[in-house]
Amino acid sequence: MELIAEQVLNTNTASVTFSSIPQTFRDLTLVVNTIRSTAGSTVLGIRLNGSSANSYNYVAIEGNGSATSSPTGTDTFVTATAVTNVLNSTDRALVTYNIMDYSTNDKHIMVLLRASNPSFVTAATVNRWASFGPVTQVDVLSVTGLLATGSRFALYGIAA
Amino acid sequence: MSPLPLGIVAASGLSAGALELIQTTILASSTSSVTISSIPSTYRHLQLRILTRDSANSFDYMVFRLNGDSGNNYARHLLRGNGTSLFSSANTTLSNGFLGTIANNTNTFSATIADILNYSSTTSNKTIRSLSGQHSTTNMIGLYSGLWMNTAAVNSLTVTSNNGSVSFVAGSRFSLYGIRG
């Protein structure tokens, strides 16, 4: 596993972009450790190649300490959790996205992820981006509110 | 220390914990079984990364055997959801372990990441955990835990479908990585 790029926020921001991703690896792993800059919660999502089309299909399992669920649907980004919010303003969320076979163009792109927000939810999700690769850009975004200063985003390549 | 996929943290040093490719198999034609053999014993853990689809477009689970052991020496727990409900089950005497699921629709592959912990140990049984999912004709996401009740070092891994009659299509990918301790 090789670090491709890392970004640490020095200001609150709505999104983080990794572009010109080299096509020399087999899979990508994106590790996000972040928090919302203001009170409240939001949904954390990623988009591939800048696409905001409603083409990210998901199925998830999640629990929040009082209930479990397995939602499914389609959205305009890869969701860390399907219907519940991930980020709040007091506890950092850790989300790991595994973007599989990202440099190929013969299959829809699959993303496996684990999301942990200790005071809020734990979840596992599989997302199918109904589009063919290669993936050259990944955007991380907060649906509402900003990602806080100090948030860390690291993109790794898994050897081909 | 650096965080790794599925939360494995490197014990020490820059090289420890890095994923090193041992072997990748990409199927050129449909096959019912994939074996990775002669696995070197020089790593601390193994990670298997799989993308696969069923040639018959019918849903099935993906299972594994270690060192060719077909005896009832495997146990498993699983927690999975299909977009409607959650399901959990356990078995303690199986002839294989569960890795995940096999997708069943054109262009859609299931994705699986499995960790085999302390695979080269000769004093402990082997623990395998995986995250596997698909958004396909049958939707499924699951967490799987497996136990191989054998203290031998793992030197081969075989992956098949659970019902034995399903084949993995061309383009399915099986990659084995070593993680140094």
Side-chain angles (χ1 to χ4, degrees):
Chain A
M1 185 171 72
E2 182 179 328
L3 179 65
I4 297 172
E6 183 177 52
Q7 299 187 45
V8 180
L9 299 184
N10 56 17
T11 186
N12 300 334
T13 188
S15 66
V16 171
T17 295
F18 293 91
S19 59
S20 302
I21 296 173
Q23 300 297 297
T24 53
F25 299 101
R26 180 72 62 189
D27 303 326
L28 298 173
T29 296
L30 174 66
V31 181
V32 176
N33 188 215
T34 188
I35 195 171
R36 182 175 155 147
S37 62
T38 55
S41 58
T42 182
V43 173
L44 185 72
I46 68 170
R47 285 184 173 142
L48 306 179
N49 292 358
S51 173
S52 59
N54 194 41
S55 57
Y56 300 90
N57 305 282
Y58 64 83
V59 58
I61 49 174
E62 54 191 37
N64 61 13
S66 59
T68 58
S69 63
S70 178
T72 187
T74 303
D75 215 320
T76 59
F77 44 83
V78 172
T79 54
T81 60
V83 294
T84 57
N85 298 334
V86 174
L87 307 180
N88 61 36
S89 56
T90 58
D91 299 298
R92 288 183 175 274
L94 175 62
V95 186
T96 303
Y97 302 84
N98 285 281
I99 306 170
M100 312 285 283
D101 262 16
Y102 77 104
S103 61
T104 63
N105 59 6
D106 62 346
K107 58 179 74 73
H108 290 175
I109 300 297
M110 300 299 295
V111 183
L112 274 177
L113 69 88
R114 288 291 304 272
S116 301
N117 189 333
S119 65
F120 205 76
V121 68
T122 187
T125 299
V126 61
N127 283 260
R128 176 175 60 86
W129 182 41
S131 185
F132 297 94
V135 174
T136 59
Q137 178 176 317
V138 175
D139 301 296
V140 187
L141 56 99
S142 169
V143 174
T144 57
L146 303 177
L147 305 172
T149 300
S151 295
R152 184 178 296 268
F153 308 82
L155 184 67
Y156 299 88
I158 308 299
Chain B
M1 295 195 294
S2 59
L4 297 178
L6 297 186
I8 299 175
V9 179
S12 62
L14 293 175
S15 61
L19 282 174
E20 296 184 6
L21 179 65
I22 296 173
Q23 178 180 323
T24 285
T25 298
I26 300 175
L27 298 183
S29 60
S30 293
T31 186
S32 61
S33 175
V34 174
T35 295
I36 300 174
S37 58
S38 302
I39 298 172
S41 60
T42 50
Y43 300 97
R44 181 61 59 88
H45 312 296
L46 298 173
Q47 185 171 93
L48 191 61
R49 301 171 79 96
I50 299 173
L51 284 169
T52 188
R53 181 165 66 84
D54 165 13
S55 60
N57 285 335
S58 61
F59 174 77
D60 197 4
Y61 287 97
M62 184 166 47
V63 298
F64 71 92
R65 284 178 174 159
L66 301 179
N67 292 10
D69 182 6
S70 59
N72 292 330
N73 299 314
Y74 301 83
R76 67 158 172 89
H77 285 77
L78 67 87
L79 172 66
R80 63 166 175 79
N82 61 5
T84 301
S85 58
L86 286 154
F87 173 77
S88 180
S89 72
N91 292 90
T92 56
T93 52
L94 297 172
S95 62
N96 52 47
F98 273 39
L99 274 178
T101 56
I102 309 170
N104 54 340
N105 199 13
T106 305
N107 294 327
T108 67
F109 283 65
S110 65
T112 300
I113 299 177
D115 294 313
I116 308 173
L117 306 177
N118 284 324
Y119 77 103
S120 60
S121 167
T122 57
T123 59
S124 62
N125 293 337
K126 306 306 178 288
T127 300
I128 301 93
R129 64 172 188 181
S130 67
L131 171 63
S132 179
Q134 61 192 54
H135 190 280
S136 183
T137 302
T138 302
N139 294 334
M140 197 72 69
I141 176 74
L143 296 167
Y144 303 83
S145 295
L147 175 69
W148 182 43
M149 292 172 277
N150 194 311
T151 58
V154 174
N155 54 53
S156 75
L157 169 76
T158 299
V159 181
T160 62
S161 66
N162 187 44
N163 68 23
S165 63
V166 165
S167 292
F168 304 120
V169 300
S172 295
R173 188 257 292 190
F174 304 79
S175 297
L176 183 66
Y177 296 86
I179 301 171
R180 295 197 181 276

